[in-house]
Amino acid sequence: MHESLELRRVLDLEPMGEDTFRGPAMDSDVFARTFGGHIAGQAISAATATVEDDKQVHSLHSYFLRPGVADEDTTYTVTRLKDGRSFSTRRVEAWQGDTLCYSMIASFHHTGDSGPEHANPMPDVPAPETLQVPSSIPSGVPGAERDYREWDIRIASDGPTPNDASTVSGRSLWFKYKYDLPDQDAFHACALTYMSDMTLLFSALAAHPGYKAQLASLDHAVWFFRPVRVNEWLLYHQSSPSAASGRALAQGQIFDASGNLLAFVAQEGLTRELQAGETQVPVRRS
């Protein structure tokens, strides 16, 4: 399969009946468990397929309940909780066989409202064109570059940016998808959800160089403020305000290259001390 088709392949769900969809498995030689962004991106794609075109997702809140198997397809069931004039709400459950892996509630808002506007400014970081493409990405998954090969990811700052009092641990990175994608707001929101889980929890370890921790996403939330295009440069400003008791909170602000705040991401994850012989994220054994 040509590499430029992979993101579109995983977000192209197969209808299986009323409000039920099948999401294809990962194409991975590395992951033993389904990547969280993969399952979240497919879940919001399933929810979007049941909502009228005049409404766009503005928020999602979800929990990772049990690990999914990376090389197995996932079934998504959508429950229509609300369809109002301004908002629609959907619950999505992700199943592998009889195992409930993931649960999401997503809300969609019609595009006709207006009101006051403000946003946090984008941090002052080097432009992506001035940065080198790193040989590895800060994900905690050895060899993950193969799975993320369709994305151009460049570290802009490794640690809090100047005058940033919001974090003691964090980093900023630029990313964009390398290939053409449909010019559709809904598709790019699903693609951003996929990407939003990539590298985020690992930012909690930026203040602890060399510390080995078991990493796993526990929950995931995204608020969408403005339309996004993931095949244009986006800055992911990540920070972790607290880590304790083997868990860490990570958050991220996503800006476009013009400085517009497009989305906000929040996630709590497991950062438990790694046991001898284990990897930070479960990987396939050779």
Side-chain angles (χ1 to χ4, degrees), residues 164-182:
D164 184 357
S166 66
T167 182
V168 294
S169 182
R171 61 169 45 90
S172 295
L173 54 86
W174 289 100
F175 72 88
K176 72 172 180 176
Y177 190 72
K178 297 178 182 178
Y179 305 105
D180 292 337
L181 292 171

Side-chain angles (χ1 to χ4, degrees), residues 235-248:
L235 181 72
Y236 201 172
H237 179 51
Q238 303 172 341
S239 62
S240 177
S242 180
S245 302
R247 303 187 315 276

Side-chain angles (χ1 to χ4, degrees), residues 13-23 73-76:
L13 307 188
E14 176 190 354
M16 298 177 60
E18 185 175 3
D19 295 346
T20 304
F21 304 85
R22 178 185 290 116
D73 292 347
T74 304
T75 299
Y76 297 88

Side-chain angles (χ1 to χ4, degrees), residues 30-112:
V30 177
F31 283 89
R33 296 178 178 177
T34 308
F35 163 54
H38 179 104
I39 199 167
Q42 289 186 337
I44 196 60
S45 180
T48 300
T50 71
V51 176
E52 296 296 325
D53 292 340
D54 65 339
K55 293 175 183 172
Q56 299 291 332
V57 62
H58 72 90
S59 68
L60 63 87
H61 305 260
S62 62
Y63 279 91
F64 298 94
L65 303 176
R66 296 174 183 84
V69 179
D71 57 5
E72 290 186 11
D73 292 347
T74 304
T75 299
Y76 297 88
T77 58
V78 181
T79 302
R80 303 184 185 221
L81 299 179
K82 174 184 177 180
D83 277 308
R85 288 182 297 177
S86 297
F87 292 92
S88 292
T89 308
R90 299 291 186 264
R91 180 173 64 237
V92 186
E93 294 180 335
W95 297 82
Q96 288 188 341
D98 295 329
T99 299
L100 177 60
C101 301
Y102 176 83
S103 179
M104 168 192 287
I105 290 182
S107 183
F108 297 76
H109 183 206
H110 80 80
T111 56

Side-chain angles (χ1 to χ4, degrees), residues 122-135:
M122 183 172 70
D124 184 14
V125 298
E129 296 83 3
T130 67
L131 301 170
Q132 293 184 341
V133 180
S135 59

Side-chain angles (χ1 to χ4, degrees), residues 8 46 71 79 88 112 118 204 226 232 273:
R8 297 180 67 170
D71 57 5
T79 302
S88 292
H118 63 262
R226 296 165 179 85
E232 300 175 357
E273 184 176 353

Side-chain angles (χ1 to χ4, degrees), residues 137-151:
I137 60 175
S139 67
V141 185
E145 292 71 31
R146 188 266 180 190
D147 291 76
Y148 302 148
R149 64 193 180 277
E150 298 181 1
W151 301 87

